[in-house]
PDB file of all heavy atoms in Angstrom:
ATOM      1  N   SER A  47      73.467 -40.050  19.720  1.00  0.00           N
ATOM      2  CA  SER A  47      74.411 -40.418  18.565  1.00  0.00           C
ATOM      3  C   SER A  47      74.618 -41.906  18.633  1.00  0.00           C
ATOM      4  O   SER A  47      74.720 -42.532  17.562  1.00  0.00           O
ATOM      5  CB  SER A  47      75.693 -39.667  18.688  1.00  0.00           C
ATOM      6  OG  SER A  47      75.426 -38.302  18.519  1.00  0.00           O
ATOM      7  N   ARG A  48      74.806 -42.488  19.724  1.00  0.00           N
ATOM      8  CA  ARG A  48      75.045 -43.853  19.878  1.00  0.00           C
ATOM      9  C   ARG A  48      73.829 -44.695  19.323  1.00  0.00           C
ATOM     10  O   ARG A  48      74.006 -45.698  18.668  1.00  0.00           O
ATOM     11  CB  ARG A  48      75.426 -44.320  21.304  1.00  0.00           C
ATOM     12  CG  ARG A  48      75.647 -45.743  21.537  1.00  0.00           C
ATOM     13  CD  ARG A  48      75.997 -46.176  22.974  1.00  0.00           C
ATOM     14  NE  ARG A  48      75.109 -45.626  23.907  1.00  0.00           N
ATOM     15  CZ  ARG A  48      73.959 -46.266  24.267  1.00  0.00           C
ATOM     16  NH1 ARG A  48      73.545 -47.407  23.671  1.00  0.00           N
ATOM     17  NH2 ARG A  48      73.202 -45.675  25.266  1.00  0.00           N
ATOM     18  N   ARG A  49      72.701 -44.249  19.737  1.00  0.00           N
ATOM     19  CA  ARG A  49      71.440 -44.929  19.164  1.00  0.00           C
ATOM     20  C   ARG A  49      71.448 -44.952  17.658  1.00  0.00           C
ATOM     21  O   ARG A  49      70.942 -45.896  17.021  1.00  0.00           O
ATOM     22  CB  ARG A  49      70.292 -44.192  19.779  1.00  0.00           C
ATOM     23  CG  ARG A  49      70.075 -44.471  21.194  1.00  0.00           C
ATOM     24  CD  ARG A  49      68.863 -45.133  21.539  1.00  0.00           C
ATOM     25  NE  ARG A  49      68.924 -45.401  22.965  1.00  0.00           N
ATOM     26  CZ  ARG A  49      68.013 -46.200  23.490  1.00  0.00           C
ATOM     27  NH1 ARG A  49      67.143 -46.715  22.802  1.00  0.00           N
ATOM     28  NH2 ARG A  49      68.067 -46.421  24.757  1.00  0.00           N
ATOM     29  N   VAL A  50      71.951 -43.842  17.014  1.00  0.00           N
ATOM     30  CA  VAL A  50      72.056 -43.787  15.581  1.00  0.00           C
ATOM     31  C   VAL A  50      73.020 -44.769  15.067  1.00  0.00           C
ATOM     32  O   VAL A  50      72.710 -45.506  14.103  1.00  0.00           O
ATOM     33  CB  VAL A  50      72.225 -42.339  15.044  1.00  0.00           C
ATOM     34  CG1 VAL A  50      72.449 -42.291  13.567  1.00  0.00           C
ATOM     35  CG2 VAL A  50      71.056 -41.364  15.400  1.00  0.00           C
ATOM     36  N   ARG A  51      74.208 -44.741  15.744  1.00  0.00           N
ATOM     37  CA  ARG A  51      75.287 -45.635  15.261  1.00  0.00           C
ATOM     38  C   ARG A  51      74.807 -47.056  15.410  1.00  0.00           C
ATOM     39  O   ARG A  51      75.197 -47.928  14.518  1.00  0.00           O
ATOM     40  CB  ARG A  51      76.561 -45.409  16.006  1.00  0.00           C
ATOM     41  CG  ARG A  51      77.310 -44.153  15.678  1.00  0.00           C
ATOM     42  CD  ARG A  51      78.660 -44.174  16.389  1.00  0.00           C
ATOM     43  NE  ARG A  51      78.673 -44.533  17.718  1.00  0.00           N
ATOM     44  CZ  ARG A  51      78.486 -43.562  18.703  1.00  0.00           C
ATOM     45  NH1 ARG A  51      78.244 -42.284  18.405  1.00  0.00           N
ATOM     46  NH2 ARG A  51      78.542 -43.872  19.964  1.00  0.00           N
ATOM     47  N   MET A  52      74.186 -47.463  16.459  1.00  0.00           N
ATOM     48  CA  MET A  52      73.702 -48.711  16.586  1.00  0.00           C
ATOM     49  C   MET A  52      72.367 -49.131  15.749  1.00  0.00           C
ATOM     50  O   MET A  52      71.884 -50.342  15.933  1.00  0.00           O
ATOM     51  CB  MET A  52      73.290 -49.081  18.051  1.00  0.00           C
ATOM     52  CG  MET A  52      74.531 -48.716  18.983  1.00  0.00           C
ATOM     53  SD  MET A  52      75.842 -49.939  18.752  1.00  0.00           S
ATOM     54  CE  MET A  52      75.194 -51.357  19.518  1.00  0.00           C
ATOM     55  N   ARG A  53      71.861 -48.163  15.090  1.00  0.00           N
ATOM     56  CA  ARG A  53      70.830 -48.258  14.175  1.00  0.00           C
ATOM     57  C   ARG A  53      69.532 -48.685  14.984  1.00  0.00           C
ATOM     58  O   ARG A  53      68.510 -49.393  14.481  1.00  0.00           O
ATOM     59  CB  ARG A  53      70.944 -49.289  13.046  1.00  0.00           C
ATOM     60  CG  ARG A  53      72.159 -48.948  12.130  1.00  0.00           C
ATOM     61  CD  ARG A  53      72.221 -49.758  10.900  1.00  0.00           C
ATOM     62  NE  ARG A  53      72.923 -49.257   9.877  1.00  0.00           N
ATOM     63  CZ  ARG A  53      74.170 -49.669   9.560  1.00  0.00           C
ATOM     64  NH1 ARG A  53      74.540 -50.724  10.118  1.00  0.00           N
ATOM     65  NH2 ARG A  53      74.871 -48.973   8.622  1.00  0.00           N
ATOM     66  N   GLU A  54      69.458 -48.061  16.154  1.00  0.00           N
ATOM     67  CA  GLU A  54      68.235 -48.249  17.033  1.00  0.00           C
ATOM     68  C   GLU A  54      67.230 -47.173  16.683  1.00  0.00           C
ATOM     69  O   GLU A  54      65.991 -47.435  16.874  1.00  0.00           O
ATOM     70  CB  GLU A  54      68.632 -48.157  18.558  1.00  0.00           C
ATOM     71  CG  GLU A  54      69.509 -49.376  18.992  1.00  0.00           C
ATOM     72  CD  GLU A  54      69.962 -49.121  20.368  1.00  0.00           C
ATOM     73  OE1 GLU A  54      69.479 -48.275  20.993  1.00  0.00           O
ATOM     74  OE2 GLU A  54      70.790 -49.968  20.824  1.00  0.00           O
ATOM     75  N   ILE A  55      67.646 -46.086  16.192  1.00  0.00           N
ATOM     76  CA  ILE A  55      66.752 -45.025  15.593  1.00  0.00           C
ATOM     77  C   ILE A  55      67.416 -44.376  14.252  1.00  0.00           C
ATOM     78  O   ILE A  55      68.636 -44.544  14.182  1.00  0.00           O
ATOM     79  CB  ILE A  55      66.527 -43.831  16.599  1.00  0.00           C
ATOM     80  CG1 ILE A  55      67.856 -43.188  17.040  1.00  0.00           C
ATOM     81  CG2 ILE A  55      65.757 -44.420  17.890  1.00  0.00           C
ATOM     82  CD1 ILE A  55      67.637 -41.961  17.916  1.00  0.00           C
ATOM     83  N   SER A  56      66.585 -43.817  13.566  1.00  0.00           N
ATOM     84  CA  SER A  56      67.075 -43.158  12.295  1.00  0.00           C
ATOM     85  C   SER A  56      67.732 -41.859  12.567  1.00  0.00           C
ATOM     86  O   SER A  56      67.487 -41.283  13.608  1.00  0.00           O
ATOM     87  CB  SER A  56      65.922 -43.040  11.293  1.00  0.00           C
ATOM     88  OG  SER A  56      65.056 -42.103  11.733  1.00  0.00           O
ATOM     89  N   GLN A  57      68.509 -41.357  11.676  1.00  0.00           N
ATOM     90  CA  GLN A  57      69.079 -40.056  11.749  1.00  0.00           C
ATOM     91  C   GLN A  57      67.910 -38.976  11.777  1.00  0.00           C
ATOM     92  O   GLN A  57      68.061 -38.038  12.643  1.00  0.00           O
ATOM     93  CB  GLN A  57      70.083 -39.779  10.574  1.00  0.00           C
ATOM     94  CG  GLN A  57      71.299 -40.397  10.765  1.00  0.00           C
ATOM     95  CD  GLN A  57      72.327 -40.069   9.625  1.00  0.00           C
ATOM     96  OE1 GLN A  57      71.987 -39.486   8.602  1.00  0.00           O
ATOM     97  NE2 GLN A  57      73.499 -40.434   9.805  1.00  0.00           N
ATOM     98  N   GLU A  58      66.923 -39.180  11.042  1.00  0.00           N
ATOM     99  CA  GLU A  58      65.865 -38.222  11.045  1.00  0.00           C
ATOM    100  C   GLU A  58      65.093 -38.152  12.468  1.00  0.00           C
ATOM    101  O   GLU A  58      64.811 -37.118  12.935  1.00  0.00           O
ATOM    102  CB  GLU A  58      64.745 -38.475   9.907  1.00  0.00           C
ATOM    103  CG  GLU A  58      63.549 -37.652   9.982  1.00  0.00           C
ATOM    104  CD  GLU A  58      63.919 -36.152   9.744  1.00  0.00           C
ATOM    105  OE1 GLU A  58      64.890 -35.900   9.089  1.00  0.00           O
ATOM    106  OE2 GLU A  58      63.306 -35.310  10.270  1.00  0.00           O
ATOM    107  N   ARG A  59      64.889 -39.281  13.047  1.00  0.00           N
ATOM    108  CA  ARG A  59      64.310 -39.352  14.377  1.00  0.00           C
ATOM    109  C   ARG A  59      65.237 -38.699  15.366  1.00  0.00           C
ATOM    110  O   ARG A  59      64.738 -37.980  16.250  1.00  0.00           O
ATOM    111  CB  ARG A  59      63.957 -40.865  14.730  1.00  0.00           C
ATOM    112  CG  ARG A  59      63.379 -40.928  16.141  1.00  0.00           C
ATOM    113  CD  ARG A  59      61.944 -40.214  16.215  1.00  0.00           C
ATOM    114  NE  ARG A  59      61.365 -40.261  17.523  1.00  0.00           N
ATOM    115  CZ  ARG A  59      61.033 -39.273  18.108  1.00  0.00           C
ATOM    116  NH1 ARG A  59      60.845 -37.987  17.491  1.00  0.00           N
ATOM    117  NH2 ARG A  59      60.532 -39.291  19.357  1.00  0.00           N
ATOM    118  N   ALA A  60      66.499 -38.975  15.201  1.00  0.00           N
ATOM    119  CA  ALA A  60      67.593 -38.381  16.198  1.00  0.00           C
ATOM    120  C   ALA A  60      67.487 -36.810  16.057  1.00  0.00           C
ATOM    121  O   ALA A  60      67.489 -36.202  17.084  1.00  0.00           O
ATOM    122  CB  ALA A  60      68.907 -38.837  15.879  1.00  0.00           C
ATOM    123  N   ARG A  61      67.297 -36.331  14.779  1.00  0.00           N
ATOM    124  CA  ARG A  61      67.209 -34.866  14.641  1.00  0.00           C
ATOM    125  C   ARG A  61      66.013 -34.391  15.384  1.00  0.00           C
ATOM    126  O   ARG A  61      65.937 -33.265  15.989  1.00  0.00           O
ATOM    127  CB  ARG A  61      67.136 -34.515  13.139  1.00  0.00           C
ATOM    128  CG  ARG A  61      68.548 -34.262  12.660  1.00  0.00           C
ATOM    129  CD  ARG A  61      68.494 -33.769  11.096  1.00  0.00           C
ATOM    130  NE  ARG A  61      67.976 -34.588  10.117  1.00  0.00           N
ATOM    131  CZ  ARG A  61      68.805 -35.538   9.567  1.00  0.00           C
ATOM    132  NH1 ARG A  61      70.063 -35.663   9.866  1.00  0.00           N
ATOM    133  NH2 ARG A  61      68.346 -36.335   8.667  1.00  0.00           N
ATOM    134  N   GLN A  62      64.810 -34.992  15.196  1.00  0.00           N
ATOM    135  CA  GLN A  62      63.586 -34.510  15.822  1.00  0.00           C
ATOM    136  C   GLN A  62      63.787 -34.547  17.412  1.00  0.00           C
ATOM    137  O   GLN A  62      63.289 -33.626  18.058  1.00  0.00           O
ATOM    138  CB  GLN A  62      62.463 -35.525  15.456  1.00  0.00           C
ATOM    139  CG  GLN A  62      62.045 -35.383  14.029  1.00  0.00           C
ATOM    140  CD  GLN A  62      61.181 -36.557  13.522  1.00  0.00           C
ATOM    141  OE1 GLN A  62      60.901 -37.463  14.382  1.00  0.00           O
ATOM    142  NE2 GLN A  62      60.491 -36.322  12.339  1.00  0.00           N
ATOM    143  N   ILE A  63      64.458 -35.640  17.874  1.00  0.00           N
ATOM    144  CA  ILE A  63      64.635 -35.660  19.318  1.00  0.00           C
ATOM    145  C   ILE A  63      65.475 -34.567  19.827  1.00  0.00           C
ATOM    146  O   ILE A  63      65.314 -33.964  20.828  1.00  0.00           O
ATOM    147  CB  ILE A  63      65.141 -37.099  19.773  1.00  0.00           C
ATOM    148  CG1 ILE A  63      64.207 -38.087  19.487  1.00  0.00           C
ATOM    149  CG2 ILE A  63      65.696 -37.112  21.150  1.00  0.00           C
ATOM    150  CD1 ILE A  63      64.705 -39.605  19.593  1.00  0.00           C
ATOM    151  N   ALA A  64      66.632 -34.355  19.065  1.00  0.00           N
ATOM    152  CA  ALA A  64      67.532 -33.260  19.369  1.00  0.00           C
ATOM    153  C   ALA A  64      66.859 -31.934  19.377  1.00  0.00           C
ATOM    154  O   ALA A  64      67.036 -31.136  20.309  1.00  0.00           O
ATOM    155  CB  ALA A  64      68.814 -33.191  18.462  1.00  0.00           C
ATOM    156  N   ILE A  65      66.072 -31.640  18.419  1.00  0.00           N
ATOM    157  CA  ILE A  65      65.295 -30.371  18.352  1.00  0.00           C
ATOM    158  C   ILE A  65      64.408 -30.274  19.532  1.00  0.00           C
ATOM    159  O   ILE A  65      64.212 -29.159  20.152  1.00  0.00           O
ATOM    160  CB  ILE A  65      64.552 -30.298  17.010  1.00  0.00           C
ATOM    161  CG1 ILE A  65      65.524 -30.022  15.931  1.00  0.00           C
ATOM    162  CG2 ILE A  65      63.492 -29.160  17.012  1.00  0.00           C
ATOM    163  CD1 ILE A  65      64.911 -30.296  14.436  1.00  0.00           C
ATOM    164  N   GLU A  66      63.581 -31.366  19.782  1.00  0.00           N
ATOM    165  CA  GLU A  66      62.711 -31.240  20.984  1.00  0.00           C
ATOM    166  C   GLU A  66      63.419 -30.974  22.252  1.00  0.00           C
ATOM    167  O   GLU A  66      62.989 -30.204  23.005  1.00  0.00           O
ATOM    168  CB  GLU A  66      61.997 -32.593  21.108  1.00  0.00           C
ATOM    169  CG  GLU A  66      60.914 -32.671  22.144  1.00  0.00           C
ATOM    170  CD  GLU A  66      60.193 -34.006  22.228  1.00  0.00           C
ATOM    171  OE1 GLU A  66      60.171 -34.772  21.284  1.00  0.00           O
ATOM    172  OE2 GLU A  66      59.472 -34.186  23.230  1.00  0.00           O
TER     173      GLU A  66
END
Side-chain angles (χ1 to χ4, degrees):
S47 295
R48 182 176 49 82
R49 295 239 171 191
V50 171
R51 284 192 312 275
M52 301 294 290
R53 295 193 166 109
E54 294 175 9
I55 61 173
S56 68
Q57 286 185 343
E58 179 58 33
R59 181 65 186 129
R61 273 191 285 279
Q62 292 169 347
I63 291 169
I65 289 168
E66 183 180 347

